[in-house]
Amino acid sequence: MANVVVVGAQWGDEGKGKIVDWLSERADVIARFQGGHNAGHTLVIGETVYKLHVLPSGVVRPGKLSVIGNGVVLDPWHLMNEIEKIRDQGVEITPDTLMVAENTPLIMPYHGELDRARESATAVAKIGTTGRGIGPAYEDKVGRRAIRVADLADPATLEARLDRALVHHDALRRGLGIDPVDRAAVLAQLHEIAPKLLPFAGPVWKVLHEKRTKGDRILFEGAQGALLDIDFGTYPFVTSSNVIAGQAATGVGLGPSAIDFVLGIVKAYTTRVGEGPFPTELLDDDGQRLGERGHEFGTTTGRKRRCGWFDAALVRQTCVTSGVNGIALTKLDVLDGFETLKICTGYMLDGERLDYLPSAADAQARCTPIYEEMPGWSESTEGARSWADLPPAAIKYVRRVEELIGCPVAILSTSPERDDTILVTDPFAD
């Protein structure tokens, strides 16, 4: 049976939550493979709104196994709070429905403190971090001083891991003028959270291998967007992990042959939260209108998102780096009523035309968009569930997007509601 990877193909906030939830009806396992609780997914199911940050979107589907893979950095205290909130909304979450990889690194309280201290102390351009400790946790993972889920089961190992981490962190804190970490307090917090988290821990790689061998369908869920990838994003204004589809295999412990279809989630316009280049950003009434109609505020931070026209050059780029087989185009209804729409097809840089965004930050800042104009439509596309429900101009816009990014539309979303979706190609089809 086919296994599907879902990745954001812009700067995040593309509507992955709804699409993953919609696809999870066809999946047996939903596996989160990177990022932390800096991500945010909003699911609208009937009259109920679920806001998820680290829990896989599949947790709201009964009878599915949800997995948090080793590619994630996990704040165990946030996880337990999120589980309780979702339980209060009537969703059952138990070790039978949720598994956490035992080799998942933990986000510690001192990671968030370091994150916020460094951001506030930065005199030059800020990264725009959420301040939740994601970056410092990944740094500790690479620096081989992370505390992992399995360490919670062995007090001696846990203390040794903590001591190794504090040698590094206390030195950093001295340089930032912060008091040393209270070792006893952190250790007490870990001992308290351990019996709550450990029942969910297990060998995710082994369980997923067994599920795959049995023929179960696996849906791999990413966070953020490909333009925030640590290698292929708009560096340094990026997240601290690999976001592109190749990370799905590494982030859960399966080989790349486990991936059969890559679905890129693409918003019908472009948004970005935080700092960094944004060639098609609109600071006029059109940008304000996109933000208001699209309710563009971050699920995690509440920050207003920057809005702009659709950037086909960027999406074309991310379709290549993630090996996207088809896209899910979301929020088409936000464009209803615009007399004229613009699509960025490339950039001008110092008099030269480029069909991609260069890697150098100074070059990115000097890139200006080359636009192609298309007529808009006055009819509503909200809630459309077939091509016949769409205005001809909207269909032309979708078809032009496909041409410019070199990738077909597999799914079209016309509202936050689960069923307001047009399926063109089933990613789970063999």
Side-chain angles (χ1 to χ4, degrees):
M1 305 295 283
N3 298 317
V4 177
V5 176
V6 173
V7 294
Q10 293 162 306
W11 276 295
D13 309 308
E14 303 96 345
K16 291 185 294 297
K18 172 195 167 171
I19 299 300
V20 171
D21 169 62
W22 191 80
L23 287 171
S24 65
E25 184 177 16
R26 297 162 171 79
D28 301 293
V29 182
I30 299 88
R32 172 78 180 274
F33 62 83
Q34 55 78 221
H37 64 300
N38 55 339
H41 296 328
T42 300
L43 308 182
V44 181
I45 302 172
E47 299 297 319
T48 306
V49 177
Y50 301 97
K51 292 187 180 293
L52 307 177
H53 299 276
V54 70
L55 285 171
S57 298
V59 295
V60 300
R61 290 276 189 182
K64 311 290 182 180
L65 174 63
S66 291
V67 165
I68 296 175
N70 55 276
V72 173
V73 284
L74 181 66
D75 182 326
W77 299 277
H78 174 90
L79 174 64
M80 291 303 142
N81 288 335
E82 190 170 320
I83 287 173
E84 286 307 312
K85 287 180 181 178
I86 298 302
R87 281 174 174 164
D88 289 344
Q89 292 184 277
V91 176
E92 183 181 9
I93 299 178
T94 70
D96 292 326
T97 61
L98 175 67
M99 175 177 283
V100 179
E102 56 194 6
N103 54 337
T104 301
L106 299 181
I107 300 174
M108 303 296 293
Y110 48 76
H111 288 138
E113 293 168 1
L114 176 61
D115 205 358
R116 294 185 291 273
R118 288 198 299 206
E119 186 79 350
S120 62
T122 300
V124 294
K126 296 183 182 297
I127 300 298
T129 172
T130 60
R132 301 193 174 207
I134 312 299
Y138 275 117
E139 291 173 35
D140 277 4
K141 175 181 178 177
V142 175
R144 293 166 292 187
R145 54 181 173 267
I147 295 172
R148 306 198 298 180
V149 171
D151 297 331
L152 297 177
D154 181 359
T157 298
L158 182 61
E159 292 202 36
R161 295 277 190 272
L162 180 59
D163 288 341
R164 177 177 172 82
L166 294 190
V167 169
H168 174 80
H169 280 273
D170 283 343
L172 286 177
R173 294 165 75 96
R174 282 195 297 273
L176 290 165
I178 309 174
D179 291 337
V181 174
D182 186 336
R183 179 184 183 277
V186 170
L187 199 58
Q189 287 177 288
L190 289 169
H191 286 315
E192 182 184 10
I193 201 71
K196 300 176 183 178
L197 179 60
L198 285 173
F200 294 96
V204 158
W205 66 270
K206 183 176 184 295
V207 171
L208 290 187
H209 171 69
E210 291 168 352
K211 295 280 188 183
R212 184 182 173 220
T213 301
K214 192 173 68 173
D216 284 356
R217 290 172 166 177
I218 304 172
L219 180 61
F220 301 91
E221 176 185 9
Q224 289 94 28
L227 294 173
L228 296 175
D229 184 90
I230 188 69
D231 289 309
F232 293 99
T234 48
Y235 191 91
F237 304 101
V238 294
T239 194
S240 298
S241 62
N242 284 114
V243 179
I244 59 177
Q247 175 64 20
T250 307
V252 299
L254 292 177
S257 61
I259 299 170
D260 300 299
F261 191 99
V262 178
L263 182 69
I265 315 300
V266 179
K267 195 179 287 185
Y269 50 101
T270 310
T271 63
R272 175 166 200 167
V273 171
E275 309 298 325
F278 188 169
T280 66
E281 183 174 13
L282 295 172
L283 302 175
D284 57 10
D285 290 343
D286 285 338
Q288 181 74 14
R289 186 177 176 185
L290 286 172
E292 290 174 356
R293 286 182 57 86
H295 306 291
E296 297 296 351
F297 296 91
T299 302
T300 299
T301 63
R303 288 185 291 182
K304 183 178 179 181
R305 297 174 187 141
R306 301 154 64 190
C307 297
W309 295 120
F310 184 80
D311 193 328
L314 279 179
V315 175
R316 183 169 60 241
Q317 201 166 319
T318 57
C319 283
V320 172
T321 57
S322 270
V324 174
N325 300 106
I327 68 165
L329 190 65
T330 67
K331 290 201 166 186
L332 183 67
D333 54 300
V334 174
L335 300 182
D336 292 353
F338 278 89
E339 184 175 340
T340 302
L341 301 171
K342 294 182 180 181
I343 300 177
C344 173
T345 59
Y347 314 101
M348 292 300 298
L349 174 61
D350 302 334
E352 179 184 359
R353 180 172 182 140
L354 298 178
D355 62 358
Y356 70 99
L357 190 68
S359 294
D362 63 327
Q364 291 176 349
R366 298 200 310 276
C367 283
T368 57
I370 300 170
Y371 283 121
E372 176 180 301
E373 292 190 358
M374 295 189 68
W377 54 88
S378 57
E379 305 95 320
S380 174
T381 63
E382 184 176 1
R385 298 185 182 182
S386 73
W387 288 106
D389 297 332
L390 296 175
I395 295 175
K396 288 181 180 179
Y397 181 82
V398 173
R399 294 307 186 201
R400 187 57 179 150
V401 165
E402 290 180 315
E403 292 173 359
L404 289 171
I405 68 174
C407 194
V409 169
I411 296 172
L412 188 63
S413 172
T414 57
S415 93
E417 293 291 336
R418 177 185 276 177
D419 294 327
D420 290 342
T421 307
I422 301 172
L423 178 64
V424 182
T425 302
D426 187 351
F428 280 117
D430 292 329

